Amino acid sequence: MDNELQELEAELKRLRPLAPSRAVTDDIARQLAAAPGHRRNFWAWTALPLAAMVAGLVLLREQPVAPAPTSAPVLAPVPAATAPVVAAARYKPVSAENLLYARSDEGLVTLADGTAALRTRSSYVDTITWRNPRTQASLKWSVPRTEERVVPVSFQ
Amino acid sequence: MADIPDDESWRDWFQHYGPKLLLCARQWTRSLADAEDVVQEAFVRFWRNQRQLGGEPQALLYTSVRRAATDLARRNSRRTAREVRADGGLESIEPIFHIPLEGDDRRADIETALRDLPEEQREVLVLKIWGELTFEQIAAQLGIPPNTAASRYRYALAALRDALTAADCHG
């Protein structure tokens, strides 16, 4: 790339894109404040079986299948707890997709504190892909997810 | 790329990356308001569900923005996502960049030239310059080979340079 293009590139990098409006930040704060504990529990319960599944698949894929030699050297046993972790660490998440397949508007509801709110329910399939950059082997994990949004409303 | 901070620091993180995400979202939506909705939805989704995954969070976040834009297109109309992207939120009249105290003419020229770029060049340029993604990450986002991403980037820069030179001559 010639100097002129490099100068233009540097000039473009100095331009600062417009920031989202304050309303966006406020809405994010409201949404993140709503039931964060549920999400933490979700990940706590899914991380362990997911890690086990990844480790199992990686081991299945990477274990060489060969007949045992007649005079096989005695190998030191690999601790079962560490081998899957090392193998799974080679995989890196490369994409995360969310497919919306259903959405229902449940209309006005009344919250526990008497506040009126609009409630919508969306159903997604989340698909996360990991890839091993060395072997290009990949692993996809899809899980259904239902998202419920409750937006307080006020009448004037 | 900085480490992802804890729950309490999402505002700092969003303050830094929000403008870049909004610029990318504007390519794939029809208006600034739609782009803000997309950024909001994608960020909440990322923060709740994806930031613990490890790897390169910025790439995951752009994937989330792109997916949210596609979802929005599906919800808002029966058009295909491709048609909506072709409309280009950057076509709207709202400025793209902060307006500096000096050199506003130059910024306006750059915005015009950016809007005039072919869509496939513009999205690579935006993801590279302001999204700070590598060509490999851009390729993964757009489903194209890394060499194609790199060549589109060079074409985009060259087209911008030509347009800005012409604007200088006529200005």
Side-chain angles (χ1 to χ4, degrees), chain A residues 1-2 4-6 8-36 39-40 42-43 50 92-100 103 124 126 128 130-131 141 145 147-149, chain B residues 7 10-11 14 18-20 22-23 26 32 36-37 39-41 43-45 47-50 52-56 59-60 63-64 67 71 74-75 94-99 106-107 110 125 128-130 140-141 153-154 157-158 160-161 164-165:
Chain A
M1 199 158 58
D2 62 33
E4 203 176 356
L5 289 186
Q6 286 178 350
L8 176 59
E9 189 179 40
E11 181 182 8
L12 294 176
K13 285 179 179 173
R14 286 195 296 272
L15 288 173
R16 292 183 300 125
L18 279 186
S21 65
R22 179 63 185 266
V24 174
T25 310
D26 292 345
D27 284 346
I28 290 174
R30 199 159 34 241
Q31 288 188 45
L32 289 180
R39 293 295 175 182
R40 287 204 189 98
F42 170 79
W43 280 104
L50 179 64
K92 293 183 176 177
V94 292
S95 72
E97 297 180 348
N98 309 87
L99 175 65
L100 173 69
R103 172 179 287 259
Y124 296 88
D126 293 344
I128 303 167
W130 287 264
R131 181 169 294 132
W141 177 64
R145 173 171 62 87
E147 179 180 284
E148 188 178 283
R149 283 192 184 191
Chain B
D7 273 1
W10 72 263
R11 286 179 188 275
F14 187 72
K20 302 171 180 182
L22 182 64
L23 177 56
R26 288 179 72 180
L32 181 57
E36 288 195 327
D37 287 347
V39 167
Q40 176 184 325
E41 183 176 338
F43 185 81
V44 170
R45 184 186 295 170
W47 199 261
R48 279 178 170 168
N49 304 336
Q50 297 168 355
Q52 296 93 339
L53 292 177
E56 183 54 66
L60 285 175
T63 302
S64 193
R67 172 57 61 184
D71 287 346
R74 286 192 183 123
R75 290 200 298 267
E94 291 93 347
I96 300 172
F97 301 106
H98 273 288
I99 300 174
R106 178 71 173 177
R107 175 200 58 84
I110 290 175
L125 186 83
K128 183 78 173 79
I129 295 277
W130 295 282
Q141 290 281 329
Y153 178 72
R154 284 193 297 272
L157 277 181
L160 273 186
R161 176 191 58 190
L164 292 171
T165 302

Side-chain angles (χ1 to χ4, degrees), chain A residues 116-129:
Chain A
L118 286 170
R119 186 159 66 191
T120 58
R121 196 183 299 270
S122 305
S123 300
Y124 296 88
V125 174
D126 293 344
T127 302
I128 303 167
T129 306

Side-chain angles (χ1 to χ4, degrees), chain B residues 30 70-81 83-84:
Chain B
R30 285 180 289 178
T70 305
D71 287 346
L72 182 69
R74 286 192 183 123
R75 290 200 298 267
N76 284 352
S77 74
R78 284 180 288 277
R79 294 181 183 184
T80 64
E83 286 170 337
V84 171

